[in-house]
């Protein structure tokens, strides 16, 4: 997970942009615009696959990025004498997702047909547009929820609890939609998640074989001369092919640290010169 915890500089934008242009040719670069925060967000997050491969001690020259017809990415390592069975199991599927100040990449290794079914959802727990009341915001999201989901929102437990439940539902749906490679515009109401019962359906049929990992992220983001707290819910959806789907809640930091790594802008900038190796 990448925390965009402060404003970026012109030099940092150029470092990300130039690295992608030279070493990551499969990425279609946006128009060069250092003043566009979205452009910087895109560029720095496209470095995440390179960073993760470096953590695996696999040089940039030893892998290539591949993409399926419906836009799902996986990384193929160079065989280099690798036994055929090991090579087939060495594919690395990944998905990159961005929130306002939190971005991330979800990765898994295995057979290509399995690993591409991974998706990441990131939602900031905040109403938008700013100033709208929580009940009005929840009502505006009704079209993305089923009647059962809407009925399970604990409106009587206060705005904070109700808002969190809505974003958990939206994030679960977003992660699943990304995992199956659906384009923007997919009807969220075709999916139904019963959070208390940890059950899920798609078009009325049980979603079987899926793993949903959920966790929270609390960020302190520098805005001019003050620190603003931002709260996020994150979900990773991955098809494991098991008989039943499962929901894993990572609320304890020690458990989360075993499989989620957090970095910030400063750490990314320090490692860029090493990523080309």
């Amino acid at each position: 997970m990448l925390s965009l915890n402060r404003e970026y500089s012109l030099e940092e934008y150029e470092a990300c942009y130039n690295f992608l242009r030279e070493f990551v040719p499969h990425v279609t670069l946006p128009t060069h615009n250092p003043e566009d925060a979205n452009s910087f967000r895109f560029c720095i997050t496209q470095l995440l696959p390179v960073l993760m491969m470096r953590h695996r001690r696999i040089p940039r020259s030893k892998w290539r990025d591949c993409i399926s017809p419906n836009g799902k990415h996986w990384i193929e390592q160079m065989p280099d004498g690798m036994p055929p069975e090991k090579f087939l199991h060495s594919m690395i599927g990944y998905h990159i997702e961005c929130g306002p100040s939190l971005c991330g990449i979800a990765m898994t290794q295995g057979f290509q047909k399995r690993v591409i079914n991974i998706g990441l959802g990131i939602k900031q727990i905040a109403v938008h547009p700013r100033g709208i009341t929580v009940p009005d915001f929840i009502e505006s999201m009704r079209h993305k929820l089923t009647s059962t989901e809407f009925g399970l929102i604990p409106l009587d437990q206060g705005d904070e609890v109700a808002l969190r439940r809505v974003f958990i539902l939206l994030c679960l749906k977003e992660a699943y939609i990304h995992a199956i490679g659906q384009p923007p515009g997919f009807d969220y109401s075709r999916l139904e998640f019963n959070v208390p019962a940890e059950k899920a359906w798609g078009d009325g049929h049980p979603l079987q074989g899926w793993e949903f990992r959920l966790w929270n992220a609390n960020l302190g983001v520098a805005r001019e001369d003050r620190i603003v707290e931002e709260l996020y819910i994150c979900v990773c959806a991955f098809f494991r092919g098991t008989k039943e789907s499962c929901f894993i809640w990572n609320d304890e930091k020690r458990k989360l640290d075993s499989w989620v790594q957090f970095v910030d802008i400063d750490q990314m900038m320090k490692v860029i010169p090493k990523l080309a190796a």
Side-chain angles (χ1 to χ4, degrees), residues 23 82 102 107 117 137 144 157 162 249:
F23 297 104
M82 196 185 302
L102 182 66
M107 304 182 76
N117 295 311
F137 173 77
K144 294 187 175 183
Q157 296 182 28
W249 299 78

Side-chain angles (χ1 to χ4, degrees), residues 60-249:
R60 178 65 190 92
S61 61
K62 297 295 183 179
W63 59 270
R64 66 188 183 99
D65 192 271
C66 306
I67 187 169
S68 70
N70 64 336
K72 298 296 296 179
H73 284 267
W74 79 94
I75 289 172
E76 182 179 285
Q77 302 177 52
M78 300 297 105
D80 288 348
M82 196 185 302
E85 61 277 8
K86 185 176 181 181
F87 173 71
L88 292 174
H89 197 266
S90 69
M91 307 301 162
I92 300 173
Y94 72 90
H95 178 252
I96 296 172
E97 181 62 12
C98 289
S101 301
L102 182 66
C103 305
I105 182 172
M107 304 182 76
T108 188
Q109 181 173 329
F111 295 106
Q112 184 267 344
K113 290 185 178 180
R114 180 68 61 81
V115 300
I116 60 174
N117 295 311
I118 190 168
L120 182 62
I122 299 174
K123 288 291 186 184
Q124 183 183 5
I125 304 177
V127 299
H128 53 83
R130 292 181 181 180
I132 189 175
T133 66
V134 170
D136 285 346
F137 173 77
I138 292 176
E139 183 62 33
S140 73
M141 293 293 107
R142 184 189 281 268
H143 67 286
K144 294 187 175 183
L145 307 174
T146 67
S147 58
T148 300
E149 288 173 330
F150 197 85
L152 288 173
I153 297 172
L155 298 173
D156 59 339
Q157 296 182 28
D159 287 352
E160 183 177 340
V161 175
L163 192 63
R164 174 176 164 77
R165 177 63 60 83
V166 169
F167 278 110
I168 288 174
L169 290 169
L170 295 177
C171 205
L172 282 164
K173 295 186 179 195
E174 184 177 84
Y176 176 78
I177 290 169
H178 290 157
I180 62 176
Q182 288 295 319
F186 185 89
D187 183 0
Y188 276 44
S189 66
R190 292 173 57 186
L191 305 173
E192 180 172 298
F193 287 85
N194 185 320
V195 175
E198 298 191 347
K199 299 291 184 181
W201 297 265
D203 293 329
H205 302 286
L207 298 182
Q208 297 178 318
W210 286 87
E211 176 184 282
F212 298 96
R213 288 182 176 253
L214 304 91
W215 69 98
N216 303 311
N218 299 341
L219 305 184
V221 182
R223 302 291 187 208
E224 297 180 348
D225 59 347
R226 61 195 180 99
I227 301 296
V228 177
E229 183 181 25
E230 295 184 359
L231 308 178
Y232 290 84
I233 182 74
C234 307
V235 176
C236 177
F238 176 58
F239 184 73
R240 290 196 175 276
T242 52
K243 186 177 180 180
E244 301 291 339
S245 291
C246 66
F247 292 70
I248 300 173
W249 299 78

